[in-house]
């Protein structure tokens, strides 16, 4: 009996890694950040400042005539340019304005991941990058059958990947990390996710039909809560950043500019 049970233990542990992440078990206790209150204040100010930059140069505020480019009377820069610039600005601000290392907002080196994180990441990339395109294959074929397929790939699919990752850096890596440090996990997650859902990233749904706004806000809050829990339990921003990036890219590329 002993001879059979002994080699089975490593196999069972390997099998466990396939499902543990899906129930928010990442084999590590969720901890609190080690940075001080001054750095936390800088993080909150950075989130507010970066969102003001986003609104100032956003296509979403163009029709209202309240963004900087509309007031100056010059064309907006294309979204494929804005998205990576805003992501780079957020990451550089964390490092050189808040004075934090990127692992402090969850961007850990791959060599520091445990087996559950790695397994979960591989499964997420497979589902998001293989299964979802198969589900939407008909619409994707229609998109890429157009003469401007290369342009669509560059101006929609790629920049929306940057944009999804940018949203996670701001609202999970920076905002949720600091609010959880201040107020605890429950309140911090609820408030951060509410600001993500109803704030500058998705405010334009307030101007939509009531039925559309209700369904969009409900779905955004729900998926945001999943991202928040994965990040809280794993402490790994790469997981939710890549999930959001691929999801954004596929949805926007397939159905239009839905962020």
């Amino acid at each position: 009996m002993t001879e059979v049970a002994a080699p089975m233990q490593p196999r069972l542990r390997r099998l466990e890694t396939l499902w543990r992440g899906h129930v928010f078990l990442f084999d590590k206790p969720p901890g609190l950040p080690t940075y001080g209150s001054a750095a936390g204040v800088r993080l909150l100010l950075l989130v507010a400042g970066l969102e003001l930059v986003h609104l100032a140069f956003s296509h979403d505020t163009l029709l209202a005539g309240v963004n900087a480019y509309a007031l100056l009377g010059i064309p907006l820069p294309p979204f494929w340019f804005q998205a990576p610039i805003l992501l780079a600005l957020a990451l550089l601000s964390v490092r050189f304005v808040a004075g934090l290392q990127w692992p402090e907002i969850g961007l850990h080196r791959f060599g520091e991941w445990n087996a559950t994180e790695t397994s979960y990441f591989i499964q997420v990339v497979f589902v998001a990058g293989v299964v979802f395109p198969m589900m939407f294959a008909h619409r994707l074929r229609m998109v890429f059958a157009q003469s401007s397929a290369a342009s669509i790939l560059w101006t929609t699919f790629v920049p929306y990947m940057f944009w999804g990752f940018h949203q996670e850096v701001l609202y999970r890596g920076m905002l949720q990390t600091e609010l959880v440090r201040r107020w605890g996990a429950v309140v911090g997650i609820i408030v951060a996710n509410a600001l993500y859902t109803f704030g500058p990233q998705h405010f334009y749904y307030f101007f939509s039909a009531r039925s559309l706004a209700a369904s969009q806000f409900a779905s955004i809050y729900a998926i945001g809560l999943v991202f928040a829990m994965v990040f809280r339990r794993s402490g790994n921003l790469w997981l939710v950043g890549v999930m959001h990036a691929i999801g954004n890219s596929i949805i926007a590329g397939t159905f239009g500019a839905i962020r």
Side-chain angles (χ1 to χ4, degrees), residues 46 116 121 150 185 197 253:
L46 278 173
T116 303
F121 181 80
T197 303

Side-chain angles (χ1 to χ4, degrees), residues 116-140:
T116 303
E117 291 170 89
T118 304
S119 172
Y120 185 77
F121 181 80
I122 292 171
Q123 292 176 69
V124 163
V125 171
F126 176 79
V127 171
V130 178
V131 176
F132 285 173
M134 290 174 62
M135 292 172 58
F136 305 130
H138 177 67
R139 291 188 66 92
L140 287 172

Side-chain angles (χ1 to χ4, degrees), residues 52-134:
L52 285 175
V53 171
H54 160 229
L55 288 176
F57 305 106
S58 171
H59 290 266
D60 299 326
T61 56
L62 178 62
L63 295 179
V66 295
N67 64 49
Y69 279 77
L71 295 175
L72 293 173
I74 58 178
L76 280 167
F79 184 66
W80 61 261
F81 178 81
Q82 287 190 40
I85 291 298
L86 286 172
L87 173 58
L89 184 60
L91 293 173
L92 291 173
S93 298
V94 168
R95 182 69 185 88
F96 297 107
V97 179
L100 301 179
Q101 301 293 326
W102 288 324
E104 293 182 272
I105 64 165
L107 292 174
H108 301 282
R109 292 189 298 271
F110 182 77
E112 299 173 349
W113 297 14
N114 62 32
T116 303
E117 291 170 89
T118 304
S119 172
Y120 185 77
F121 181 80
I122 292 171
Q123 292 176 69
V124 163
V125 171
F126 176 79
V127 171
V130 178
V131 176
F132 285 173
M134 290 174 62

Side-chain angles (χ1 to χ4, degrees), residues 43-44 46-52 54 86-87 89-91 93-94 105 163-178 192 196 200-201 231 237:
L43 272 184
L44 294 180
L46 278 173
V47 172
L50 289 165
E51 284 296 63
L52 285 175
H54 160 229
L86 286 172
L87 173 58
L89 184 60
L91 293 173
S93 298
V94 168
I105 64 165
W163 189 245
F165 205 99
H166 168 78
Q167 290 175 308
E168 292 307 307
V169 169
L170 251 65
Y171 282 90
R172 250 62 74 173
M174 297 169 67
L175 184 62
Q176 179 177 312
T177 295
E178 173 55 17
Y196 164 71
Q201 295 289 329
F231 178 55
L237 190 62

Side-chain angles (χ1 to χ4, degrees), residues 137-160:
H138 177 67
R139 291 188 66 92
L140 287 172
R141 281 195 296 269
M142 292 174 59
V143 169
F144 287 107
Q146 301 177 37
S147 59
S148 58
S151 174
I152 293 171
L153 181 66
W154 176 250
T155 60
T156 303
F157 283 87
V158 173
Y160 274 98

